Amino acid sequence: MKAAPLALALAALLAAPAWAGLATFDEVRRDFRPSDSAVLDRDGLLLQRVRTDTSVRRGDWIALADISPALRSAMLLSEDKRFYAHSGVDWRAVSAAAWGNLWNTRTRGASTITMQLAGLLDDDLHRAGGGRSLAQKLGQTVAAQQLERQWRKDQILEAYLNTVPFRGEIVGIDALSRTLFGKAPHGLDAREAAVAAALVRAPNAKPALVAQRACELMRAMEPGYKPDCAALDMFASAALQRRAFDPSEGVAPHLARRALKEAGYPAGPLRTTLRAPLQRFALDALQRQLRELRGRNVEDGALVVLDNASGEVLAWVGSSGTLSRAAEVDGVLAQRQPGSTLKPFLYAQALAERRLTAASLLDDSSAQINTAGGLYIPQNYDRQFKGYVSVRTALAASLNVPAVRTLVMVSPEAFARQLRAAGLPLAQSGDYYGYSLALGSAEVSLLTLTNAYRTLANGGRFGDTRDLPGPASTARGQAVAIDPRAAFIVGDILADPNARARTFGLDSVLGTRFWSAVKTGTSKDMRDNWAIGWSERYTVGVWVGNASGAPMWDVSGTSGAAPVWAQTMAFLHRNEPSRAPTPPAGVLQAQVRFGDALEAARSEWFIAGTEQPLFAIAPEASAAQAAPRITAPADGTILALDPDIPPDRQRVRFEAEGRGVQWRIDGKPLARGGSAQWLPWPGRHRVQLIDARGQVADEIRLEVRGAGVVANARR
């Protein structure tokens, strides 16, 4: 009998150094880490809960006063009836357990709540797969007594309830309550408390065994009460299958993950710059619009709102959520072709370099531009040409050919440098993209594109965005990326409803009841649709499309992203005005007229020194415009016939400018008028345009490759 006290004393000597620096209750509570992190908006409202620890499922630390009395009673009855009487070790229970072991009789066990907590707090005392060793049990005994000397009983019970494993990955009473019962710990009733306490004894037991143990506990909790054990069995089975505590829930999953990573996954809640009411509205508006577009093969979208002065992110909607098959993809950061949304930066550069003014005339007609890769033939969205138009009309109405002609003046490489200065990090050089860069052939993200528009809103000053609180900053003193005078004029054009009427009409969804400037864009093959614009205080960017890159069906600049942009802007300014910006130094307003009544006379903004009263087409330009010429197809075109398509469905359409013209193919008459259709056959052919005098005004050569068409053509 002397060996046992000797062994106990030896264990105490061994265990004492490990617990000499026993953590205090406050330290344990401070170091407690939930398995998910709470991400808050700027005012402390919950935006998102994000799972950050996949090894366990822990909720928040719950104070003992916020845990239901029923649960505390059930836990003490189940695990430690004399908790408030012993000093860490229940020697009566130890004796009973030893006697039971001697006679091979089952007993409750001698491990107190304090001893269990000691094992939970010290890795060296954790229970292994085969149970604790003798040394661990003795060390646990010594540690429990030391805990009782340094902690209060309520602290021990509180720490235990927050760290005890219940079932599977669930640790702590908050995770258990929210997962199995869908409620906070303070709301647990006697039945739920009994099931919870039963799980501590047998975390992985079958539901029937858990229910049996819970029924026994309910009898002990209320002497004389006869619980319905059959109903409790059904309740326990249902509860153990529930997973109501979603590991990630809220309205800003993409921003939440990004912000947590930026902040280094802090222990407590993380506050961001977002506005929760705005975030919820933006998500709802985007989802409503995508439901409207469901029949047009559109399921994804993204939205971001920036504060112009500070660069703070006020809303960040990364996807359409449940409407998307790729909800994890963050559309705010995804790289996509921006279409016509790059045009404002191109025209701003041409204005700043004094190559153009807002009243300068550009030719919107068929263009064939020689490049290293062959002829580049830009087209307008509606496949129609407007003739000579002013820069104001060309930009506001989003005409493609004038933009390409402007890029020819500026050069692709110089334009690429301008885009990079505005915060758009192109992957390739300007020469790589060529003249298609004017129409958005590069790839950018919604965040960087929206921030580039914020640069325009701030008079050309570029500043970074931020989604975590920090020192207040303004655009003053930031790098000037765009000439302030050009930025102002471009903003004035994009805010002009009359200028955009040629394409969008006077009652466009882009019009607002307050001052705002906006531009839409659609990438090639209808894969991406954008609406980016700003008011006095905010810049809003919206993208709709498909995360897979699949094209949309019949979605235009005003039917896709624009309605969401307009609704979000209206929400931002429901109680807040937006005034037009003050003209910067170096710009002036002057009256202008246009020759041949091309456009109505108006008052126009100019960079000082570029103003002039009349804009007209030079006589030689008028003559050139009047001269008949073939506009399509281009000279040297090679046509490949598809044998799988019926020959009469592969007709070639000829287009020309000029009056009284007729067409000849290989010297034979074909048709009269500005357009004609021709059924091609293999070989090299000469196409001639004959003017009203019977003279050859223009001609092209083309080649048709393929077989099987001649016979069909002769039938």
Side-chain angles (χ1 to χ4, degrees):
M1 295 296 293
K2 295 181 179 179
L6 194 60
L8 186 60
L10 178 61
L13 289 173
L14 293 173
W19 282 81
L22 178 69
T24 66
F25 172 77
D26 290 336
E27 289 171 338
V28 171
R29 184 173 57 183
R30 182 197 62 200
D31 295 337
F32 179 85
R33 294 288 187 272
S35 61
D36 56 85
S37 297
V39 178
L40 312 178
D41 83 336
R42 65 198 305 119
D43 298 317
L45 299 176
L46 180 66
L47 285 170
Q48 190 79 29
R49 299 179 71 95
V50 180
R51 182 78 175 264
T52 51
D53 186 346
T54 57
S55 62
V56 295
R57 191 73 178 109
R58 282 189 298 262
D60 294 327
W61 182 281
I62 305 299
L64 190 61
D66 295 327
I67 299 174
S68 80
L71 177 66
R72 284 179 271 167
S73 298
M75 199 66 70
L76 293 177
L77 282 170
S78 174
E79 297 301 309
D80 195 350
K81 293 180 181 179
R82 287 179 288 276
F83 173 71
Y84 287 103
H86 62 67
S87 59
V89 180
D90 187 349
W91 294 109
R92 289 171 56 184
V94 170
S95 300
W99 188 258
N101 289 335
L102 178 63
W103 295 98
N104 197 27
T105 303
R106 288 187 62 187
T107 63
R108 185 192 66 82
S111 181
T112 65
I113 283 179
T114 311
M115 292 172 66
Q116 292 182 52
L117 179 61
L120 293 171
L121 298 181
D122 188 347
D123 292 337
D124 293 334
L125 301 180
H126 277 179
R127 181 193 297 270
R132 290 187 176 88
S133 66
L134 177 61
Q136 284 181 312
K137 290 180 179 179
L138 295 175
Q140 190 182 23
T141 300
V142 174
Q145 292 176 310
Q146 192 170 353
L147 261 177
E148 291 275 355
R149 287 194 295 269
Q150 298 187 24
W151 289 26
R152 300 192 312 269
K153 284 285 187 179
D154 62 317
Q155 293 176 333
I156 292 172
L157 184 57
E158 180 178 318
Y160 174 74
L161 291 174
N162 279 285
T163 57
V164 64
F166 280 96
R167 188 176 184 86
E169 65 174 0
I170 300 174
V171 172
I173 190 58
D174 189 45
L176 177 84
S177 300
R178 296 183 184 277
T179 301
L180 267 58
F181 308 122
K183 59 174 64 174
H186 66 78
L188 297 181
D189 58 26
R191 182 174 60 170
E192 294 161 340
V195 172
L199 286 172
V200 175
R201 182 69 57 85
N204 299 313
K206 293 182 178 180
L209 184 59
V210 174
Q212 179 184 344
R213 174 62 179 155
C215 201
E216 295 172 1
L217 278 174
M218 290 190 71
R219 290 192 186 100
M221 291 166 66
E222 298 184 46
Y225 171 68
K226 294 182 179 181
D228 186 344
C229 292
L232 186 57
D233 191 349
M234 295 177 61
F235 172 77
S237 297
L240 294 177
Q241 294 177 15
R242 289 192 64 188
R243 290 293 181 269
F245 194 8
D246 193 327
S248 183
E249 56 183 355
V251 294
H254 303 87
L255 183 280
R257 288 193 289 267
R258 172 185 169 92
L260 285 169
K261 186 176 181 180
E262 287 180 45
Y265 298 97
L270 176 64
R271 189 166 296 214
T272 66
T273 61
L274 269 66
R275 296 180 184 174
L278 173 62
Q279 178 74 13
R280 284 191 288 268
F281 177 88
L283 175 60
D284 184 59
L286 181 64
Q287 290 180 334
R288 281 199 314 270
Q289 175 66 3
L290 291 175
R291 289 189 184 97
E292 291 289 329
L293 298 174
R294 184 171 292 172
R296 303 186 190 181
N297 197 40
V298 187
E299 68 175 29
D300 291 297
L303 180 149
V304 67
V305 179
L306 303 177
D307 182 277
N308 290 343
S310 66
E312 291 179 338
V313 178
L314 305 180
W316 181 305
V317 181
S319 82
S320 58
T322 56
L323 302 181
S324 172
R325 286 174 290 182
E328 294 301 310
V329 176
D330 191 345
V332 175
L333 298 178
Q335 299 287 310
R336 300 188 178 278
Q337 290 188 341
S340 295
T341 57
L342 296 187
K343 290 176 183 175
F345 307 100
L346 173 61
Y347 284 108
Q349 186 172 4
L351 292 172
E353 294 175 356
R354 297 179 177 242
R355 299 178 185 275
L356 294 171
T357 72
S360 297
L361 294 172
L362 292 170
D363 186 8
D364 181 31
S365 62
S366 179
Q368 301 176 13
I369 301 172
N370 287 311
T371 70
L375 288 176
Y376 177 54
I377 308 176
Q379 296 285 336
N380 286 326
Y381 178 79
D382 57 5
R383 300 283 176 176
Q384 297 179 1
F385 298 108
K386 308 296 190 296
Y388 279 91
V389 296
S390 68
V391 166
R392 176 174 289 271
T393 299
L395 173 56
S398 197
L399 303 179
N400 288 344
V401 177
V404 175
R405 294 187 191 278
T406 301
L407 184 55
V408 172
M409 304 178 199
V410 171
S411 86
E413 188 56 41
F415 183 39
R417 289 195 297 270
Q418 172 66 89
L419 293 175
R420 291 190 182 96
L424 295 169
L426 305 187
Q428 305 292 339
S429 67
D431 291 336
Y432 173 86
Y433 300 109
Y435 296 114
S436 65
L437 186 58
L439 309 183
S441 60
E443 291 189 337
V444 300
S445 71
L446 177 61
L447 180 63
T448 57
L449 182 60
T450 305
N451 194 41
Y453 271 69
R454 173 177 161 254
T455 300
L456 290 170
N458 285 333
R461 294 183 177 88
F462 171 80
D464 293 321
T465 63
R466 57 189 176 93
D467 47 53
L468 296 176
S473 62
T474 65
R476 292 184 178 179
Q478 294 173 339
V480 176
I482 300 172
D483 187 299
R485 302 165 299 177
F488 169 81
I489 295 173
V490 165
D492 185 74
I493 292 173
L494 295 180
D496 186 350
N498 294 320
R500 71 171 76 101
R502 294 283 292 268
T503 297
F504 300 102
L506 289 172
D507 58 347
S508 166
V509 69
L510 301 175
T512 61
R513 296 185 178 184
F514 46 86
W515 187 91
S516 64
V518 61
K519 183 74 185 72
T520 63
T522 304
S523 65
K524 67 178 183 180
D525 299 327
M526 301 290 290
R527 297 183 186 277
D528 308 283
N529 186 250
W530 310 76
I532 321 284
W534 72 93
S535 62
E536 181 182 11
R537 184 174 176 184
Y538 307 105
T539 301
V540 177
V542 182
W543 165 83
V544 299
N546 293 295
S548 64
M552 302 171 287
W553 303 335
D554 191 29
V555 176
S556 68
T558 54
S559 67
V564 183
W565 178 88
Q567 292 168 32
T568 304
M569 272 295 186
F571 180 84
L572 288 165
H573 289 284
R574 63 198 187 282
N575 297 314
E576 189 173 344
S578 176
R579 296 174 292 270
T582 302
V587 297
L588 55 85
Q589 207 167 17
Q591 286 294 127
V592 295
R593 294 182 297 106
F594 296 91
D596 299 325
L598 291 172
E599 293 188 11
R602 63 173 181 258
S603 179
E604 186 59 271
W605 289 101
F606 294 91
I607 293 177
T610 64
E611 68 275 12
Q612 63 185 68
L614 176 66
F615 288 83
I617 305 168
E620 58 270 20
S622 299
Q625 187 183 35
R629 65 187 183 96
I630 298 172
T631 58
D635 187 29
T637 296
I638 298 176
L639 304 172
L641 298 175
D642 190 333
D644 294 328
I645 301 176
D648 59 354
R649 299 293 180 88
Q650 301 189 66
R651 295 178 183 272
V652 178
R653 183 178 179 85
F654 298 137
E655 297 283 350
E657 293 178 351
R659 297 181 179 180
V661 297
Q662 58 181 309
W663 299 88
R664 288 181 186 170
I665 300 289
D666 299 328
K668 299 178 181 179
L670 174 66
R672 294 179 179 274
S675 65
Q677 290 193 354
W678 172 61
L679 187 65
W681 62 87
R684 293 183 174 88
H685 305 280
R686 183 176 60 176
V687 181
Q688 294 177 316
L689 185 68
I690 310 302
D691 62 18
R693 298 174 298 170
Q695 302 297 316
V696 176
D698 195 7
E699 73 174 36
I700 62 170
R701 295 182 182 274
L702 55 84
E703 180 179 353
V704 179
R705 297 177 182 177
V709 178
V710 175
N712 292 327
R714 292 175 178 174
R715 289 178 184 174

